[in-house]
Amino acid sequence: MKKLIILSALIVSFSTEAQSLPFDFESTTSGMVGYDGATFTIVSNPSTTGNASAKAAKIVKVNAGDLWAGGKITNVTSLSFCCSPTSILSMKVYTTEPVGTVIKVKLENPYTSEVDAITTVSGAWETLKFDFGIPAPTGSADLVIMPQPFTTGGGNTFFIDDI
């Protein structure tokens, strides 16, 4: 029984480990999870033009039928939009999908707030900005990145960096 209690405490401790912005993916980022048929991993940067980082996060929408597939980082604790004049989260995105591809970012648990941005380039890094408006969420949340919502996957690949 003692072993079960200790194991349970370790699992809870691991699964609720806090994450803090910014994310540059140069080292392991705990709490990264692919969902609904997507993978979410740290890989070598596909292009250092426009982003000198050695590493980036990679989301692949693996299954063709999963419209909501993406990646998330659980328990991000450093949301502090409240006292800033803007509530903008930015991230670098690289994809070879067509210009005009929608990238949705959601903050969820305990609340849900979502914002879309649209790519303006293909095959190059660009910085997308997600304006959560006023009042902006604060505190802790899961940061969900949903590339091409409402679109089937089938191998569509997106690289994310410098959130």
Side-chain angles (χ1 to χ4, degrees):
M1 185 66 176
K2 268 187 175 178
K3 288 181 182 178
L4 181 59
I5 291 171
I6 291 170
L7 179 59
S8 295
L10 286 173
I11 289 170
V12 169
S13 171
F14 177 76
S15 66
T16 60
E17 185 175 333
Q19 303 300 311
S20 185
L21 290 169
F23 296 111
D24 64 10
F25 305 105
E26 293 303 312
S27 59
T28 302
T29 300
S30 329
M32 289 178 58
V33 179
Y35 66 90
D36 286 351
T39 61
F40 190 31
T41 56
I42 297 175
V43 297
S44 295
N45 182 352
S47 172
T48 55
T49 303
N51 183 9
S53 296
K55 305 275 185 181
K58 179 181 179 181
I59 298 173
V60 180
K61 292 180 74 164
V62 179
N63 297 329
D66 291 323
L67 301 177
W68 300 103
K72 71 176 157 181
I73 302 171
T74 59
N75 200 25
V76 177
T77 60
S78 58
L79 298 176
S80 60
F81 294 131
C82 71
C83 304
S84 168
T86 62
S87 47
I88 296 174
L89 183 135
S90 67
M91 74 173 70
K92 292 181 182 174
V93 175
Y94 178 98
T95 186
T96 57
E97 294 300 307
V99 168
T101 296
V102 173
I103 308 292
K104 181 181 291 290
V105 170
K106 294 176 72 175
L107 300 173
E108 43 183 49
N109 297 329
Y111 46 74
T112 299
S113 183
E114 60 185 60
V115 178
D116 294 347
I118 299 173
T119 62
T120 61
V121 299
S122 179
W125 283 102
E126 71 175 309
T127 299
L128 296 180
K129 295 185 178 186
F130 302 86
D131 187 349
F132 285 90
I134 305 294
T138 61
S140 176
D142 293 344
L143 173 65
V144 179
I145 304 164
M146 189 183 308
Q148 287 181 314
F150 311 112
T151 305
T152 58
N156 302 7
T157 302
F158 302 85
F159 296 92
I160 309 294
D161 203 5
D162 297 334
I163 301 174

